[in-house]
């Protein structure tokens, strides 16, 4: 069997066309949706992500501001910037790119963002709303994964879903969204014993660990949907995910490539969340 690809670029195009329409309608009413992206330090991967986020705004009619600061910025200075963005009526979404330098308390910074502008959905109040089934913002990557499952009309209700990785950014909110869609969810982490015994039971397998080739073909149930959230470099410097794509695509029913899978969807859902924030004002 050769799996069908779930193409994140193609799906993004469709969703971004709708985003552009909604952005134009808001702009016509004098409320152009605006996103502020804040980057502290010079992490090369973060610089690329942030640039892509700002470009996606520009391409789809959203206003964006990029604030770049040196790695030695103080926590107090960053909190002051967030306070100013919270009060700026042109800004509907605030994203502080993670990771932050070690001397800055990331939790404190996330809690300083006004929950109604927290388009990442990381604020404890938004995490709580998600957990209790009344999300204000769905975190972008898990939201994108749900859109990918929707795009193949996958019957999530009653399916066995296994999420490998338990981060606040992906694994935990992903599990919540799958649970709310009616899946039976297992969350695995770096200490899970016999990972394959869990993953082999998955109808839907979402892998988000940042470990190249962690999931191999023998760990995948034939016909499963395999969603690879990983973003790593192979020995030749080429982008790759957490799943051994070449062999696993012969076992899975559907699979997402890296690049061109979940990555573009994360940015697309950030645009959607920013539009939603602006529509609520
Ligand atoms: N770093 C890695 N992924 C993300 C994300 O989705 N949002 C933010 N703010 N930082 C990240």
């Amino acid at each position: 069997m050769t799996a069908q690809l779930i193409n994140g670029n193609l799906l993004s195009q469709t969703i971004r066309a709708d985003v552009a329409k909604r952005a134009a309608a808001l702009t016509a009413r004098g409320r152009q949706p605006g996103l502020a992206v804040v980057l502290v330090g010079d992490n090369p991967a973060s610089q690329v992500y942030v640039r892509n986020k700002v470009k996606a705004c520009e391409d789809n009619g959203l206003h964006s501001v990029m604030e770049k600061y040196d790695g030695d910025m103080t926590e107090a200075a960053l909190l002051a910037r967030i306070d100013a963005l919270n009060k700026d009526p042109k800004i509907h979404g605030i994203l502080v790119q993670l990771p932050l330098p070690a001397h800055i308390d990331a939790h404190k910074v996330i809690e300083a963002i006004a929950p109604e502008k927290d388009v990442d959905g990381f604020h404890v109040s938004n995490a709580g709303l998600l957990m209790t089934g009344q999300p204000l913002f769905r975190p972008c990557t898990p939201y994108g994964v749900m859109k990918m499952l929707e795009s193949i009309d996958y019957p999530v209700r009653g399916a066995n879903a296994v999420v490998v990785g338990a981060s606040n950014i992906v694994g935990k909110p992903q599990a919540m969204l799958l649970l709310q869609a009616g899946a039976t969810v297992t969350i695995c982490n770096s200490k899970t014993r016999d990972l394959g015994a869990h993953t082999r039971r998955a109808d839907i397998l979402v892998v988000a660990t940042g470990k190249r080739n962690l999931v191999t073909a023998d760990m995948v149930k034939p016909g499963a949907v395999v969603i690879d959230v990983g973003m790593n470099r192979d020995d030749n410097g080429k982008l790759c995910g957490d799943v051994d794509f070449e062999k696993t695509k012969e076992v899975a029913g559907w699979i997402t490539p890296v690049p061109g899978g979940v990555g573009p969807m994360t940015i697309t859902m950030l645009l959607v969340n920013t539009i939603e924030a602006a529509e609520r004002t």
Side-chain angles (χ1 to χ4, degrees):
M1 177 195 261
T2 301
Q4 294 186 54
L5 278 194
I6 309 178
N7 184 328
N9 283 322
L10 211 59
L11 179 56
S12 281
Q13 272 177 25
T14 312
I15 300 174
R16 287 186 198 194
D18 180 60
V19 161
K21 232 187 274 170
R22 289 162 75 184
L26 284 160
T27 304
R29 302 209 307 268
R31 242 190 301 148
Q32 186 184 24
L35 174 71
V37 180
V38 180
L39 174 64
V40 184
D42 52 9
N43 180 312
S46 290
Q47 286 180 342
V48 174
Y49 296 149
V50 161
R51 219 178 301 132
N52 289 342
K53 288 169 183 176
V54 170
K55 179 165 188 312
C57 285
E58 286 167 359
D59 290 349
N60 294 282
L62 285 79
H63 164 65
S64 68
V65 292
M66 157 108 126
E67 299 199 2
K68 280 176 84 169
Y69 299 104
D70 291 340
D72 60 0
M73 182 189 211
T74 64
E75 185 180 281
L78 178 55
L79 292 171
R81 277 313 304 150
I82 287 172
D83 186 49
L85 292 167
N86 283 340
K87 292 175 177 145
D88 184 341
K90 286 201 179 77
I91 295 300
H92 304 93
I94 302 169
L95 179 147
V96 178
Q97 187 65 29
L98 303 174
L100 284 167
H103 68 277
I104 296 178
D105 180 346
H107 284 291
K108 202 161 158 188
V109 171
I110 290 167
E111 296 321 304
I113 297 172
E116 66 275 14
K117 294 192 178 188
D118 170 37
V119 284
D120 264 327
F122 295 164
H123 191 287
V124 286
S125 116
N126 284 323
L129 286 170
L130 175 68
M131 180 146 188
T132 51
Q134 333 148 63
L136 187 63
F137 295 108
R138 294 160 181 86
C140 304
T141 300
Y143 195 5
V145 169
M146 298 310 288
K147 287 284 170 193
M148 291 176 122
L149 292 171
E150 216 178 284
S151 78
I152 59 166
D153 278 328
Y154 195 85
V156 177
R157 187 184 294 259
N160 283 338
V162 175
V163 178
V164 186
S167 69
N168 290 334
I169 295 180
V170 183
K172 287 187 218 169
Q174 185 70 73
M176 282 301 140
L177 290 175
L178 286 163
L179 182 64
Q180 271 150 27
T184 301
V185 184
T186 303
I187 312 175
C188 299
N189 59 59
S190 58
K191 284 145 200 103
T192 296
R193 281 188 217 122
D194 194 0
L195 183 61
H198 294 281
T199 59
R200 273 189 288 276
R201 288 206 308 269
D203 303 307
I204 301 166
L205 178 59
V206 181
V207 191
T209 64
K211 291 196 185 78
R212 174 155 67 103
N213 286 338
L214 179 77
V215 169
T216 47
D218 59 298
M219 294 165 72
V220 173
K221 177 174 171 175
V225 190
V226 178
I227 310 267
D228 190 348
V229 182
M231 189 78 85
N232 313 297
R233 299 260 170 204
D234 70 12
D235 295 336
N236 302 314
K238 244 182 66 183
L239 270 183
C240 64
D242 295 350
V243 175
D244 177 1
F245 179 82
E246 284 309 318
K247 295 206 174 83
T248 303
K249 77 176 183 347
E250 302 304 324
V251 177
W254 293 266
I255 192 166
T256 64
V258 178
V262 174
M265 290 301 293
T266 295
I267 298 182
T268 298
M269 301 325 290
L270 172 66
L271 301 181
V272 170
N273 280 348
T274 306
I275 295 281
E276 286 179 6
E279 285 174 345
R280 285 185 201 126
T281 56

